[in-house]
């Protein structure tokens, strides 16, 4: 058995026995960092003391070392320098050790695992120290030594890196023996603030810190030294105060990982309940595949769009911050007064690398336009073929082979089709361009009713075709059986899995007495009248109008089509997971694993099964929580928010006064029209059938699962949303006035309230009776 490994030799399997420091030094070495060469004596070499066979291996290693150098011998306990605790200064470190004294230094460091310091640290942090490994590393005699935090450990801002240093060894900094000098780097565009004596080394250190932050993908605490005029990296560990999640337990809160602005707009419509561990992991894989880690962030299971990720990407690609902020408001709506989107140094090289990978085929050759177009056109058909195949797979190996070939190929092609498939700019610019010419009222009419039959409208429109006998039930299931309120939650069954579908929803629709084809025809008539009015007033702009409206229509159609076809990816993954649960015997517990753990389980690794009970407990707790605020700025602690009787649903910030909740209800213009009527507040799609014809629907958010009740609504009001949200798009095409993204509508309004909804102005006025 081998007990000692060089940093370059340490594999993922071995790293678990190398402790936090040893594993990190190996990772830093593989990232190409200037790490003094060294070795790790793994934890398996110690059983209270150094095992005899491990001692012989160590003596053999020592015989190969040079007397020209001295060495540093450091602890690397299994729980040291990890995400949960650093154990900084708790274990023994021996520096400037001569070759012949290495054995005694190793024994001294290993013995420190039983020290009072370690025991007290473990007690105070609630962490067990675990076993101990020991690092032997060439000692560099520093002129300067210190630490750098790539993000502010208190508020999480990554716009600047802050650090301090001492002259000589860094142990004096850790122990407090010497007063430290402070310095800072502007992380967005390098600049140095600090004493002149260190300035010549500043940029070299900054570049190392930048690569480490990007390589680890999280805020880091980095130890470094300057020796002989060269910068060395001695250690890097996660900043424990900026921890996003505990993977074992599925405790996740992205707001604690940095200074971010999180929004439920669009994302909150897709995911209307907390996501399961496996769905969370798939979203992480998708974000990583796009080169946008944490773009879809998470707070206790509830997904959020991390607006800081989007804004930082735009800045990294050359946009000015103000332009990026304006684009964010186009996507997510107007931000509260005084709120700016925090930006951070985005890894654009990784983003471009991932984009190239998505846009290339698996054999690295450019995919032809014809192949791309064919995949997009046949996406549903291909998905159905794969679903039928996966249902018949007989064993673990066939499942593994399926996913590693056909599954990952479909995932890559689907993401590529989604990224390529939509030109969203007409969705943002058309209304304003029209308003500048013909005024806001006519522009609203021109942007409503002319998009044709969008995919999000098909479950309702095609249902009437089935009722009339113009479409078979089988064809309806093929086209719409994957669309429902929780269509991207992998633990939620799809309608096509229910043998009663679509007869169950046909009965509901017949009882409602609505005629959606008539509503659609009336909306198209108003649209055509608006087109005629524009051409009559501005005859020279007739061709321009046709071209502009065609681009707008195509952008709407493509966006909805890509979304519908993209859901098929989740259908395939759910079928794969169901089959994996069946074959491995864990059933629906498969949804409490992460996707990579499911693959490992199929290969025989059952270690993750031990985490299922705690993850299920946390997930069920998440399901019991009410929806969190639509917009979160900075750190958010759910339990603290829940305990506040005056908590706000629309916006939360620990930095700003958000105590007062306005009684005014204002949102974004969703669909034009003015309607007065009584409100029905419905918080869940499970209760959507309570909506009576002619009532005004007020809901936290809506998605395609709510479409079946839209024709009953005289108007629609939502807490979450923006002009491009589901409620706005479908309401416009059916001619239903809508105000979206109000933030506080379901808090301020009560069922039975009389209100006037002005969709064009984005206003809801309560009428006092």
């Amino acid at each position: 058995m081998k007990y000692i490994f060089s940093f370059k030799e340490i594999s993922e399997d071995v790293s678990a026995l190398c402790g936090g420091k040893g594993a990190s030094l190996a990772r830093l070495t593989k990232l190409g960092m200037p790490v003094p060469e060294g070795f790790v004596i793994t934890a398996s070499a110690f059983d209270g003391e150094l095992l005899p066979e491990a001692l012989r291996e160590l003596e053999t290693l020592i015989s190969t070392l040079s007397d020209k150098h001295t060495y540093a011998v450091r602890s690397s306990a299994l729980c040291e320098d990890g995400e949960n605790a650093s154990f900084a200064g708790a274990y023994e470190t021996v520096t400037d050790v001569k070759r012949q004294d290495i054995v005694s230094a190793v024994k001294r460091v290993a013995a420190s695992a039983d020290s009072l310091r370690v025991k007290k640290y473990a007690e105070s942090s609630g962490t067990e120290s675990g076993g101990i490994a020991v690092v032997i590393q060439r000692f560099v005699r520093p002129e300067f030594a210190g630490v750098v935090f790539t993000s502010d450990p208190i508020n999480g801002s990554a716009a600047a890196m802050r650090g301090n240093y001492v002259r000589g060894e860094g142990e004096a900094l850790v122990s407090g023996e010497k007063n430290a000098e402070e310095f800072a780097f502007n992380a967005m565009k390098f600049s140095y603030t600090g004493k002149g004596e260190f300035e010549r080394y500043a940029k070299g250190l900054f570049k190392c810190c930048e690569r480490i932050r990007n390589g680890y993908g999280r805020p880091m605490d980095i130890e470094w030294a300057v020796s002989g005029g060269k910068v060395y990296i001695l250690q890097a560990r996660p900043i424990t105060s900026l921890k996003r999640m505990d993977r074992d337990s599925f405790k996740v809160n992205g707001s604690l990982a940095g200074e971010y602005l999180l929004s439920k707009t669009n994302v909150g419509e897709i995911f209307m309940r907390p996501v399961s561990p496996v769905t969370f992991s798939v979203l992480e894989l998708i974000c990583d595949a796009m080169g946008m880690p944490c773009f879809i962030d998470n707070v206790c299971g509830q997904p959020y769009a991390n607006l800081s990720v989007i804004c930082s990407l735009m800045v990294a690609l050359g946009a000015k911050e103000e332009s990026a902020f304006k684009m964010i408001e186009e996507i997510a709506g107007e931000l509260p007064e005084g709120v700016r989107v925090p930006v951070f140094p985005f890894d654009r090289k990784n983003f471009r690398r991932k984009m190239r990978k998505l846009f290339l085929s698996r054999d690295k050759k450019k995919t032809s336009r014809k192949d791309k177009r064919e995949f997009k056109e046949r996406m549903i058909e291909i998905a159905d073929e794969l679903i039928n195949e996966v249902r018949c797979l007989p064993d673990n190996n066939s499942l593994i082979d399926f996913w590693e070939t056909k599954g990952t190929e479909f995932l890559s092609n689907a993401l590529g089709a989604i990224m390529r498939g939509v030109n969203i700019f007409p969705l943002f610019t058309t209304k304003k361009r029209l308003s500048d010419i013909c005024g806001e009222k006519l522009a609203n009419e021109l942007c409503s009713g002319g998009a044709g039959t969008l995919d999000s409208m098909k479950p309702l429109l095609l249902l009437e075709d089935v009722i009339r006998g113009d479409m078979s039930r089988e064809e309806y299931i093929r086209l719409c059986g994957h669309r429902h309120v929780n269509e991207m939650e992998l633990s939620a069954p799809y309608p096509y899995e229910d043998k009663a579908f679509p007869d169950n929803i046909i009965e509901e629709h017949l009882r409602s007495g609505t005629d959606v084809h008539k509503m659609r025809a009336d909306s198209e008539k108003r649209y055509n009248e608006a087109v005629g009015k524009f051409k009559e007033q501005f005859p020279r702009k007739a061709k321009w109008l046709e071209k502009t409206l065609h681009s707008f229509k195509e952008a709407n159609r493509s966006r909805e089509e890509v979304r519908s076809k993209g859901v098929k990816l989740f259908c395939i993954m759910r079928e794969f997971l169901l089959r994996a649960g069946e074959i491995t015997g864990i059933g629906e517990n498969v949804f409490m694993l992460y996707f990579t753990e499911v693959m490992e389980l199929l290969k025989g690794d059952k270690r993750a099964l031990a985490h299922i009970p705690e993850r299920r407990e946390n997930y069920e707790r998440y399901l019991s929580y009410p929806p969190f605020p639509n917009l979160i700025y900075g750190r958010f602690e759910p339990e603290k928010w829940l305990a506040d009787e005056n908590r706000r649903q629309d916006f939360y910030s620990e930095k700003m006064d958000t105590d007062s909740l306005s009684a005014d209800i204002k949102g974004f213009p969703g669909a034009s029209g003015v309607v007065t009527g009584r409100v029905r507040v419905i918080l869940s799609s499970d209760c959507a059938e309570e909506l009576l014809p002619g009532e005004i629907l007020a809901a936290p958010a809506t998605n395609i699962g709510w479409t079946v009740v839209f024709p009953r609504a005289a108007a629609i009001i939502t807490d979450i949303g923006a002009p491009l949200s589901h409620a706005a798009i479908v309401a416009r095409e059916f001619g239903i006035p809508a105000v979206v993204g109000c933030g506080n509508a379901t808090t301020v309004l009560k069922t039975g309230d009389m209100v006037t909804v002005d969709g064009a102005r984005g206003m809801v006025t309560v009428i006092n009776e």
Side-chain angles (χ1 to χ4, degrees):
M1 181 177 181
K2 184 175 173 63
Y3 293 100
I4 305 175
F5 298 84
S6 71
F7 296 156
K8 291 181 180 179
E9 291 177 316
I10 295 172
S11 63
E12 283 190 28
D13 293 336
V14 173
S15 67
L17 295 171
C18 292
K21 186 182 276 100
S24 186
L25 287 168
R27 186 171 180 178
L28 290 166
T29 300
K30 290 169 184 175
L31 281 174
M33 291 295 98
V35 176
E37 60 273 17
F39 305 84
V40 177
I41 307 173
T42 60
S44 57
F46 300 93
D47 185 9
E49 58 184 26
L50 195 60
L51 296 174
E53 54 268 40
L55 176 59
R56 288 193 292 272
E57 188 176 340
L58 175 59
E59 289 171 340
T60 301
L61 169 66
I62 291 170
S63 69
T64 67
L65 300 179
S66 171
D67 284 322
K68 293 180 180 178
H69 304 298
T70 58
Y71 299 86
V73 181
R74 295 185 168 93
S75 64
S76 184
L78 298 190
C79 288
E80 187 181 0
D81 289 338
E83 292 185 22
N84 299 315
S86 67
F87 283 86
Y91 291 90
E92 193 77 40
T93 292
V94 187
T95 60
D96 203 15
V97 178
K98 294 180 180 178
R99 187 170 70 92
Q100 60 267 28
D101 297 328
I102 289 177
V103 171
S104 60
V106 167
K107 291 179 178 179
R108 178 179 164 186
V109 169
S112 70
D114 296 321
S115 70
L116 184 62
R117 283 198 312 270
V118 171
K119 291 177 181 177
K120 285 187 174 181
Y121 189 102
E123 288 174 7
S124 64
S125 64
T127 306
E128 292 186 8
S129 58
I132 190 168
V134 175
V135 170
I136 302 169
Q137 196 173 14
R138 179 171 65 82
F139 178 64
V140 292
R141 195 174 304 279
E143 291 97 54
F144 301 102
V147 297
V148 172
F149 294 99
T150 63
S151 295
D152 189 306
I154 306 301
N155 64 30
S157 172
M161 298 183 188
R162 301 189 184 280
N164 45 47
Y165 67 87
V166 294
R167 297 167 191 82
E169 290 187 43
E171 294 302 316
L173 176 62
V174 175
S175 65
E177 292 177 16
K178 293 183 180 180
N179 292 327
E181 303 290 350
E182 296 182 354
F183 65 92
F185 302 136
N186 181 333
M188 299 301 297
K189 187 175 182 181
F190 172 75
S191 64
Y192 167 75
T193 304
K195 282 206 164 187
E197 64 179 353
F198 185 67
E199 188 167 6
R200 61 183 292 198
Y201 309 111
K203 193 157 191 176
L205 176 60
F206 171 76
K207 287 183 176 179
C208 289
C209 294
E210 189 177 43
R211 288 183 63 188
I212 292 168
R213 179 199 62 214
N214 292 341
Y216 281 74
R218 63 188 67 182
M220 298 296 289
D221 169 1
I222 301 166
E223 295 180 19
W224 55 272
V226 173
S227 178
K230 181 180 178 181
V231 172
Y232 290 93
I233 301 300
L234 305 181
Q235 174 59 329
R237 62 179 74 87
I239 299 176
T240 54
S241 61
L242 301 178
K243 183 179 178 182
R244 182 170 180 251
M245 76 173 297
D246 181 90
R247 288 187 61 82
D248 290 350
S249 63
F250 189 49
K251 290 180 180 177
V252 55
N253 186 340
S255 77
L256 304 181
E259 186 182 39
Y260 302 130
L261 183 63
L262 307 180
S263 170
K264 281 193 173 182
T265 297
N266 293 323
V267 171
E269 297 171 322
I270 299 170
F271 301 99
M272 303 192 75
R273 74 179 199 189
V275 297
S276 61
V278 75
T279 303
F280 168 83
S281 71
V282 167
L283 295 176
E284 296 278 283
L285 290 171
I286 290 172
C287 289
D288 181 69
M290 295 191 301
M292 300 171 66
C294 301
F295 162 53
I296 300 179
D297 217 325
N298 197 288
V299 178
C300 295
Q302 298 186 29
Y304 280 82
N306 191 325
L307 301 183
S308 292
V309 170
I310 306 170
C311 198
S312 299
L313 170 60
M314 288 191 284
V315 172
L317 295 178
K320 293 182 178 179
E321 283 193 17
E322 290 303 324
S323 298
F325 293 157
K326 287 179 181 178
M327 182 63 76
I328 289 295
E329 291 198 319
E330 291 283 351
I331 297 170
E334 186 177 352
L335 300 178
E337 186 177 352
V339 173
R340 286 177 66 85
V341 184
V343 294
F344 58 86
F346 194 92
D347 188 356
R348 63 178 179 269
K349 290 182 180 179
N350 180 58
F351 173 74
R352 286 170 173 158
R353 184 167 59 248
K354 294 297 179 71
M355 284 294 105
R356 283 195 297 270
K357 188 174 180 180
L358 283 179
F359 280 75
L360 294 177
S361 62
R362 286 170 60 80
D363 62 2
K364 305 301 180 185
K365 296 178 182 177
K366 286 188 177 180
T367 309
S368 70
R369 290 185 180 180
K370 180 181 176 182
D371 290 340
K372 293 172 186 175
R373 186 169 57 250
E374 182 180 346
F375 176 82
K376 186 179 176 183
E377 290 172 353
R378 295 191 62 244
M379 199 166 167
I380 289 181
E381 184 181 342
I382 294 170
D384 288 340
E385 291 170 359
L386 293 175
I387 286 171
N388 290 330
E389 181 177 345
V390 79
R391 286 174 175 172
C392 300
L393 295 175
D395 53 34
N396 293 28
N397 289 335
S398 60
L399 275 172
I400 293 167
D401 182 64
F402 171 87
W403 186 257
E404 290 182 346
T405 54
K406 297 178 181 179
T408 53
E409 182 178 21
F410 187 91
L411 171 63
S412 178
N413 289 338
L415 290 178
I418 290 169
M419 298 300 291
R420 291 187 298 266
V422 184
N423 174 19
I424 63 172
F425 290 104
L427 302 177
F428 294 121
T429 60
T430 300
K431 183 178 174 181
K432 185 178 185 308
R433 293 170 70 195
L434 289 169
S435 297
D436 290 343
I437 296 171
C438 64
E440 190 170 354
K441 184 176 184 299
L442 186 54
N444 282 329
E445 294 172 0
L446 289 166
C447 290
S448 303
T453 302
L454 302 175
D455 275 71
S456 54
M457 299 159 63
K458 285 181 180 178
L460 197 51
L461 289 167
L462 298 185
L463 189 65
E464 291 192 351
D465 291 347
V466 174
I467 293 170
R468 291 200 302 258
D470 296 335
M471 176 177 285
S472 69
R473 282 165 166 75
E474 291 73 24
E475 181 66 4
Y476 182 82
I477 292 170
R478 189 183 75 82
L479 293 174
C480 303
H482 61 297
R483 306 306 305 271
H484 70 126
V485 70
N486 294 308
E487 60 192 16
M488 291 190 183
E489 169 49 54
L490 292 166
S491 66
Y494 285 96
Y496 71 75
E497 298 177 49
D498 184 355
K499 292 181 179 179
F501 180 81
D503 293 328
N504 50 355
I505 61 172
I506 288 175
E507 292 174 10
E508 293 173 6
H509 185 68
L510 289 173
R511 285 197 301 269
S512 73
T514 55
D515 185 343
V516 292
H517 279 82
K518 184 179 183 304
M519 292 178 66
R520 185 77 191 88
D522 290 344
S523 183
E524 285 183 352
K525 181 181 177 183
R526 289 190 293 272
Y527 166 78
N528 289 328
E529 289 172 352
V531 171
K533 194 182 300 182
F534 182 97
K535 289 182 177 180
E536 183 179 334
Q537 294 179 24
F538 309 98
R540 294 183 179 180
K541 291 279 187 180
K543 288 187 176 180
W544 174 87
L545 178 69
E546 291 175 3
K547 183 178 179 181
T548 299
L549 292 179
H550 174 77
S551 296
F552 183 67
K553 176 180 178 178
E554 185 61 22
N556 274 288
R557 186 201 63 77
S558 296
R559 180 177 185 262
E560 292 294 302
E561 180 189 47
V562 164
R563 165 76 183 276
S564 178
K565 291 181 175 179
V567 173
K568 277 293 186 175
L569 169 62
F570 286 78
C571 294
I572 294 171
M573 299 189 92
R574 174 171 166 80
E575 295 284 353
F576 178 86
L577 291 165
L578 288 171
R579 190 68 181 132
E582 183 180 357
I583 287 176
T584 59
I586 67 169
E588 295 210 348
N589 277 332
V590 73
F591 300 115
M592 294 299 109
L593 299 178
Y594 303 128
F595 195 82
T596 52
E597 293 173 340
V598 175
M599 296 300 293
E600 291 304 314
L601 176 65
L602 290 171
K603 295 174 183 177
D605 186 347
K606 299 182 179 181
R607 287 177 295 178
L609 298 180
H611 303 310
I612 288 176
E614 187 175 10
R615 289 181 189 172
R616 184 173 292 282
E617 181 182 346
N618 283 320
Y619 180 51
E620 289 175 356
R621 176 165 55 87
Y622 295 163
L623 290 171
S624 72
Y625 286 157
F628 295 150
N630 303 332
L631 197 66
I632 293 176
Y633 182 38
R635 296 172 71 87
F636 173 75
E637 298 176 47
E639 300 297 340
K640 181 179 176 181
W641 177 78
L642 288 167
D644 183 1
E645 293 181 358
N646 299 314
R647 65 179 179 264
R648 289 178 59 169
Q649 191 69 46
D650 58 333
F651 175 52
Y652 175 86
S653 171
E654 66 168 359
K655 301 178 179 182
M656 302 171 63
D657 179 16
T658 59
D659 292 339
S660 57
L661 177 62
S662 172
D664 295 332
I665 303 171
K666 190 175 188 308
F668 307 106
S672 62
V674 179
V675 169
T676 298
R678 295 204 179 273
V679 170
R680 173 76 61 177
V681 177
I682 300 179
L683 302 179
S684 167
S685 63
D686 295 336
C687 304
E689 288 303 313
E690 296 175 5
L691 183 70
L692 300 178
E695 289 185 324
I696 293 173
L697 171 64
T702 67
N703 64 16
I704 195 165
W706 291 72
T707 304
V708 292
V709 300
F710 271 25
R712 302 182 206 171
I716 297 167
I717 309 166
T718 68
D719 290 337
I720 300 170
L724 298 183
S725 64
H726 171 269
I729 291 172
V730 177
R732 280 197 294 269
E733 296 311 308
F734 280 132
I736 306 170
V739 179
V740 298
C742 298
N744 61 348
T746 59
T747 304
V748 173
L749 296 176
K750 302 291 183 289
T751 294
D753 285 348
M754 183 69 73
V755 302
T756 296
V757 176
D758 187 336
R761 295 173 59 214
M763 294 291 295
V764 179
T765 305
V766 178
I767 300 173
N768 296 317
E769 297 181 283

